[in-house]
Amino acid sequence: MAGKGCVLTTVDFPAYTVRSLGGRYFLVAGGGGQAKTGVLNAIEIFEIKKQSKHVEAKRVVRYETHTQAIMNGAVFLNGRRHVLAAGLDEHCQLYTIKHKVVTPKHNGTQQNDDGEIAVRKRKSTLVHSEAFIHADKQTTFEVEPSDKIQTDFHPDSAFQKVVRFSRDGDIMATGGADGNLRVWKYPDLTKLYQCQAHQGEIEDLDISPNGKMIVSLSNKYACVWKTKKCEKHSDLNWTQKTSAAYKFRNCQSVEFNIFFYRPS
């Protein structure tokens, strides 16, 4: 029997996407959208830390996305920085996330959680020691918006529902309300291929590890496409006999190009 999970942390906004940043860091993004409810729209990055008897996640940085909430996203490591592709309504907004280690100035000041300079009330006797310098180093991230493109063109309710990068970061695939599967070249974001994959919304998609296949899900339909030219390769069928209604909700590609998909 699997053990029970634990609560790592909480956020004060609806969380729509969670993505790993490698090692012990992950990001959470979401928010209240454009409704004037006072609910924040933000990206928060956390560090997982092991305490004596439990594990917890401490917030490292918060980046506000103003009036729009990130509803979906994908991350890949591009050299020494991460790239986040985030769904903002019918657009895909790219962000660069840079990891850095900060050593506060030892002049009686330090940076608080909001990025403001706060004055130390007491000076440590270790100010000039090597132990103090290393102990006081802080890990943080810089989040900066970059390119933005429209990825869904539904005439009434355009909305990007999913975005994925290939393992090598050469291509990006998007799907949404208009049912079109679109493949983009990264980083210049030129559209390579497009096809009407489904009549309804694309709920989820994923790219195979070798980048040659893409699977897409919409309601009761799951299809595999050849990445080049967006040609249909095959359908995925759920063979379990049941009288209950179901639809495909999520999928993930693993090695050997096997797609796991979850009906509900």
Side-chain angles (χ1 to χ4, degrees):
M1 181 180 294
K4 293 183 179 180
C6 64
V7 176
L8 288 176
T9 188
T10 59
V11 294
D12 54 0
F13 54 82
Y16 293 112
T17 187
V18 179
R19 291 289 178 262
S20 171
L21 295 178
R24 59 183 185 272
Y25 299 98
F26 66 93
L27 68 81
V28 180
Q34 298 185 15
K36 296 180 180 180
T37 59
V39 179
L40 188 71
N41 298 314
I43 301 167
E44 292 192 344
I45 299 176
F46 294 86
E47 180 182 8
I48 299 174
K49 291 188 174 182
K50 185 177 181 181
Q51 304 300 332
S52 57
K53 295 184 179 180
H54 67 281
V55 177
E56 65 180 16
K58 180 181 179 182
R59 190 179 76 193
V60 177
V61 69
R62 169 184 279 181
Y63 176 88
E64 297 186 13
T65 57
H66 307 296
T67 60
Q68 291 178 292
I70 293 174
M71 303 299 291
N72 50 84
V75 171
F76 90 98
L77 181 62
N78 184 14
R80 300 182 65 179
R81 62 184 180 180
H82 285 86
V83 176
L84 167 65
L88 296 175
D89 298 327
E90 72 270 32
H91 293 92
C92 185
Q93 172 71 61
L94 298 186
Y95 297 90
T96 58
I97 302 175
K98 300 178 182 178
H99 172 275
K100 66 178 183 178
V101 178
V102 177
T103 303
K105 294 181 180 180
H106 303 299
N107 58 357
T109 64
Q110 65 179 8
Q111 203 170 35
N112 62 22
D113 290 341
D114 296 323
E116 299 174 345
I117 300 299
V119 179
R120 288 177 184 262
K121 293 183 178 179
R122 297 181 180 178
K123 291 185 178 180
S124 171
T125 56
L126 297 175
V127 166
H128 300 292
S129 73
E130 189 71 17
F132 175 84
I133 293 174
H134 287 292
D136 217 35
K137 285 186 177 180
Q138 300 173 356
T139 298
T140 187
F141 293 84
E142 287 184 348
V143 181
E144 297 180 354
S146 55
D147 297 322
K148 183 179 182 180
I149 56 171
Q150 184 172 350
T151 61
D152 194 85
F153 296 86
H154 192 282
D156 300 320
S157 56
F159 191 83
Q160 176 183 293
K161 297 201 72 173
V162 58
V163 56
R164 293 288 183 267
F165 284 108
S166 60
R167 299 290 178 89
D168 57 13
D170 284 346
I171 61 171
M172 183 179 79
T174 61
D178 65 5
N180 276 264
L181 171 62
R182 294 177 174 90
V183 181
W184 310 82
K185 179 67 177 176
Y186 183 83
D188 53 342
L189 298 181
T190 55
K191 187 169 62 179
L192 297 175
Y193 311 107
Q194 175 182 339
C195 63
Q196 185 71 48
H198 301 277
Q199 295 303 311
E201 297 180 353
I202 295 180
E203 298 287 347
D204 199 10
L205 63 81
D206 202 10
I207 304 173
S208 66
N210 61 15
K212 294 181 179 181
M213 299 288 182
I214 299 174
V215 66
S216 63
L217 308 181
S218 178
N219 203 342
K220 294 184 178 182
Y221 302 97
C223 304
V224 180
W225 306 87
K226 296 178 181 178
T227 302
K228 290 187 176 180
K229 299 183 180 180
C230 260
E231 293 180 345
K232 190 173 183 179
H233 178 267
S234 62
D235 293 316
L236 293 177
N237 299 308
W238 190 40
T239 58
Q240 183 174 343
K241 294 182 179 180
T242 178
S243 58
Y246 74 92
K247 65 178 181 178
F248 296 116
R249 296 298 300 271
N250 308 100
C251 63
Q252 184 175 1
S253 176
V254 296
E255 297 299 333
F256 308 112
N257 299 327
I258 299 174
F259 290 99
F260 289 94
Y261 49 99
R262 178 176 70 87
S264 64

